[in-house]
Amino acid sequence: MRIGALEAGGTKMVLGIFDEEGHLLEDTKLPTRTPAQTMPEIISFFREKGIEKLGIGTFGPVDLREDSPTYGSITSTPKLDWRDYPLLKTLKEALGVPCGIDTDVNAAALAEVRLGAARGCANAVYVTVGTGVGAGICVGGKLVHGLMHPEVGHMLLKPNPRDPLPQGICPYHESCLEGLASGPAIAKRAGTGAENLQDDDPVFTLETDYLAQMCVNLIMVLSPERIVIGGGVLGKEHLLDRVRRETVRLLGGYIQAPEVTARIDSYIVLPELFPISGLIGSWLLGRDAV
Ligand code: ZN
């Protein structure tokens, strides 16, 4: 059986064809333009390949309430052409195959929990820190959706007293995680992207603080067995290790679990399936679709 996987992003669409065992047979990328331009290309690609199921990991926000009349539609995205677009319905009707859908970050989380850096953990969090900050949360082996879906990127943090930009850059909140720690927040403080900065740049001390505050909050609220942190900003290899040490320091000895106190290096980890966690997760959503 051939299973299609669509990782729908705000700037590009990644399309993959997998077999049932999860081998990626082929993939392609398309720029994300308007639905009228991009959707026919996606549909004809999957039609030609004769897929029998499709999994979709999409940018959001997306309506994931299964009993909702707009289930699988993009909702209040700043990409106006895609606002209220019925992504799932359009693909399902055009292709006539079972489809599964979730957010792109939930798809990536699913892949890392089932097959990657958090396999064997029923309770884990996958965070991506790049242009934005997003996270997929797995509790009891299942992705958390709740009222809509968790928005870890907008948790409020305590601004660092040395931060020249303590209010952050999120248009909705002062001093939320995404506003303080996303790639654009780093670039706004430093005048250039994280990839161009020396490891000892003071901006990484702030970044360490914010990502460690995030880890502490995740540990206290969700009690995960592992935290996986990926995304472009974590391309700076020294950063993860600094975040581990700072997380332990901020926990202040309150959490006694040896996974945290003695084995933090295998508790806060990088993804294993990068850069195709999201595509593999989309395959899993397709494989499990009925
Ligand atoms: Zn925010």
Side-chain angles (χ1 to χ4, degrees):
M1 185 197 291
R2 295 183 140 216
I3 300 170
L6 169 63
E7 191 184 6
T11 54
K12 68 174 190 290
M13 299 283 179
V14 185
L15 292 70
I17 304 294
F18 289 81
D19 65 15
E20 267 173 282
E21 281 75 48
H23 301 111
L24 179 58
L25 306 174
E26 65 174 293
D27 63 329
T28 190
K29 292 185 179 75
L30 303 169
T32 303
R33 294 178 289 163
T34 66
Q37 292 168 308
T38 303
M39 291 304 292
E41 294 180 306
I42 292 173
I43 290 163
S44 74
F45 176 84
F46 285 128
R47 257 193 201 138
E48 273 170 31
K49 308 299 172 190
I51 59 165
E52 291 174 62
K53 289 184 171 194
L54 175 67
I56 307 158
T58 180
F59 68 97
V62 56
D63 183 353
L64 293 175
R65 294 165 301 163
E66 287 184 36
D67 58 352
S68 162
T70 54
Y71 176 61
S73 291
I74 309 283
T75 60
S76 59
T77 174
K79 292 183 75 71
L80 295 180
D81 291 326
W82 291 87
R83 189 166 283 187
D84 301 321
Y85 185 74
L87 181 64
L88 176 67
K89 185 166 175 274
T90 305
L91 288 167
K92 215 171 180 174
E93 286 178 2
L95 297 167
V97 299
C99 296
I101 189 167
D102 213 318
T103 62
D104 46 3
V105 71
N106 267 353
L110 185 66
E112 291 294 340
V113 166
R114 296 266 183 89
L115 304 166
R119 66 188 172 279
C121 300
N123 304 288
V125 184
Y126 166 85
V127 188
T128 175
V129 186
T131 310
V133 180
I137 295 166
C138 193
V139 171
K142 291 199 165 147
L143 292 166
V144 173
H145 293 102
L147 190 63
M148 4 102 42
H149 37 75
E151 290 280 1
V152 166
H154 296 274
M155 70 165 69
L156 302 183
L157 300 180
K158 189 166 70 176
N160 187 293
R162 295 200 189 132
D163 190 346
L165 190 67
Q167 73 281 17
I169 58 164
C170 175
Y172 297 93
H173 319 109
E174 283 205 352
S175 68
C176 75
L177 171 60
E178 182 169 298
L180 291 170
S182 60
I186 295 175
K188 185 152 186 188
R189 290 190 197 94
T192 183
E195 66 281 7
N196 303 319
L197 298 170
Q198 298 292 319
D199 288 355
D200 60 356
D201 193 285
V203 87
F204 291 121
T205 304
L206 302 174
E207 187 70 11
T208 299
D209 179 20
Y210 295 139
L211 295 182
Q213 287 192 49
M214 170 195 80
C215 287
V216 168
N217 291 343
L218 292 173
I219 291 167
M220 296 306 191
V221 174
L222 296 165
S223 190
E225 292 151 333
R226 196 159 299 158
I227 298 174
V228 183
I229 313 181
V233 171
L234 273 293
K236 286 305 223 180
E237 282 175 23
H238 67 102
L239 190 57
L240 192 71
D241 207 45
R242 293 177 68 181
V243 170
R244 290 174 177 137
R245 311 289 150 229
E246 184 63 8
T247 299
V248 172
R249 195 187 72 77
L250 289 178
L251 285 168
Y254 185 79
I255 299 290
Q256 295 289 324
E259 286 80 358
V260 176
T261 57
R263 299 194 288 276
I264 192 77
D265 291 0
S266 52
Y267 182 76
I268 300 176
V269 297
L270 291 171
E272 282 181 10
L273 304 173
F274 182 82
I276 58 164
S277 322
L279 196 63
I280 293 174
S282 301
W283 163 69
L284 286 167
L285 291 168
R287 189 195 63 177
D288 297 346
V290 286

